[in-house]
């Protein structure tokens, strides 16, 4: 159980998962969101996982930022309802999906985006690295390289989607896109600054930072059995 330093009011269930297909994780998020729309008293959730290689485009994202023909490629590509442009997920990238009821915090999407950035900045500080924001953009940078992307969707003040932190991924997949539609700022990964860093290690510090920033009690939990069965069948 991870406690924040602030007095907390809410519990947040932590679902620490391994490699899960993008579509399975997306369906799981939607299920958790719909449950909380119907019962706003349910606990908040933070899912931490990794995805097999996949490209996703946000709602209204420009497909020109793909450097391949979406109709003729063998790559896994999905357009989803989050904000933001195209991004890439793969093993070695730690993805976080907070399912939060913002009515418990602040009903302010800009505030929420800055809080997610703060979680990642505090995580980097554990490694004595200074994460930075760039005005006008969403995400976190290290020495001019973008190490974390953020894209969210909120329905009736319940959040889904979230952030992706490049810990130690194979970065070649990013060469096939203009990440987040930003052509003049390169992407990077923590492995460039931290030798032998792993997602397993980073998960702990990330959950700790999340607890501090949102002032919650993070309780490591097991997801519903129905989800576990579905993901096992899909692997």
């Amino acid at each position: 159980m991870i406690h924040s330093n602030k007095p907390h009011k809410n519990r947040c269930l932590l679902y620490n998962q391994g490699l899960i297909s993008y579509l399975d994780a997306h369906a799981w998020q939607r299920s958790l969101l719909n449950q909380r729309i119907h019962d706003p008293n349910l606990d908040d959730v933070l899912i931490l996982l990794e995805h097999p290689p996949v490209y996703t485009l946000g709602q209204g994202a420009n497909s020109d930022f793909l450097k391949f023909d979406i109709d003729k490629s063998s790559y896994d590509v999905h357009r989803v309802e989050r904000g933001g442009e195209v991004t890439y997920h793969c093993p070695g990238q730690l993805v976080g999906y907070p399912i939060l009821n913002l009515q418990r915090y602040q009903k302010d999407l800009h505030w929420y985006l800055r809080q997610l950035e703060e979680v990642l900045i505090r995580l980097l500080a554990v490694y004595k690295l200074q994460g930075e924001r760039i005005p006008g953009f969403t995400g976190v940078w290290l020495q001019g390289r973008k190490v974390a992307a953020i894209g969210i969707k909120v329905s009736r003040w319940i959040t889904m989607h979230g952030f992706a932190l490049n810990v130690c991924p194979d970065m070649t997949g990013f060469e096939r896109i203009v990440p987040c539609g930003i052509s003049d700022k390169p992407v990077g990964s923590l492995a460039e600054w931290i030798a032998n860093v792993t997602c397993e290690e980073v998960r702990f510090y990330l959950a700790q930072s999340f607890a501090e920033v949102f002032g919650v009690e993070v309780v490591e939990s097991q997801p519903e059995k129905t989800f576990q069965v579905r993901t096992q069948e899909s692997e």
Side-chain angles (χ1 to χ4, degrees), residues 25-34 47 97 99 160-161:
H26 185 252
W28 187 20
Q29 288 185 77
R30 290 191 66 84
S31 172
L32 292 170
L33 179 140
N34 288 330
I47 304 169
Y97 294 133
I99 315 295
M160 65 179 287
H161 296 287

Side-chain angles (χ1 to χ4, degrees), residues 13-235:
L13 306 180
L14 173 62
Y15 294 150
N16 243 327
Q17 301 295 293
L19 197 66
I20 295 179
S21 81
Y22 188 83
L23 289 181
D24 276 338
H26 185 252
W28 187 20
Q29 288 185 77
R30 290 191 66 84
S31 172
L32 292 170
L33 179 140
N34 288 330
Q35 288 170 16
R36 281 151 183 79
I37 285 175
H38 289 107
D39 183 359
N41 295 317
L42 291 172
D43 286 327
D44 291 330
V45 168
L46 173 61
I47 304 169
L48 294 179
L49 49 71
E50 296 172 63
H51 288 309
V54 61
Y55 294 95
T56 72
L57 295 99
Q59 198 169 34
N62 188 343
S63 57
D64 290 347
F65 293 133
L66 295 171
K67 297 180 181 178
F68 56 87
D69 187 333
I70 194 171
D71 298 317
K72 296 178 182 174
S73 82
S74 58
Y75 305 125
D76 198 10
V77 184
H78 302 287
R79 188 179 288 276
V80 292
E81 68 277 67
R82 66 166 171 79
E85 290 289 344
V86 63
T87 194
Y88 177 63
H89 301 300
C90 66
Q93 182 192 73
L94 187 58
V95 178
Y97 294 133
I99 315 295
L100 306 185
N101 184 345
L102 290 184
Q103 296 189 78
R104 295 174 177 153
Y105 305 93
Q106 287 193 39
K107 294 195 288 185
D108 183 329
L109 302 191
H110 293 288
W111 173 87
Y112 178 56
L113 291 169
R114 301 295 81 78
Q115 296 302 100
L116 293 181
E117 291 169 346
E118 183 64 23
V119 168
L120 295 159
I121 288 169
R122 290 194 190 194
L123 162 68
L124 296 177
V126 171
Y127 294 97
K128 306 291 191 290
L129 295 171
Q130 186 169 349
E132 298 173 334
R133 297 178 175 93
I134 294 181
F137 294 97
T138 298
V140 175
W141 278 259
L142 264 177
Q143 296 176 15
R145 300 174 76 81
K146 189 171 188 179
V147 295
I150 296 173
I152 64 168
K153 167 71 176 176
V154 178
S155 300
R156 298 192 194 175
W157 297 111
I158 311 292
T159 69
M160 65 179 287
H161 296 287
F163 57 84
L165 174 66
N166 295 331
V167 179
C168 52
D170 176 352
M171 298 293 286
T172 55
F174 285 100
E175 295 170 6
R176 303 184 194 106
I177 61 171
V178 179
C180 305
I182 305 170
S183 59
D184 60 343
K185 294 180 175 60
V187 289
S189 73
L190 300 195
E192 297 170 45
W193 289 269
I194 310 164
N196 304 314
V197 69
T198 65
C199 285
E200 201 55 44
E201 170 192 325
V202 168
R203 285 168 184 263
F204 173 77
Y205 297 119
L206 201 147
Q208 206 168 44
S209 297
F210 190 89
E212 290 172 1
V213 170
F214 285 96
V216 294
E217 177 185 31
V218 171
V219 181
E220 190 151 1
S221 307
Q222 289 300 317
E224 317 83 81
K225 194 171 182 181
T226 51
F227 177 76
Q228 292 174 314
V229 169
R230 190 172 64 244
T231 54
Q232 287 165 3
E233 287 173 349
S234 67
E235 288 168 356

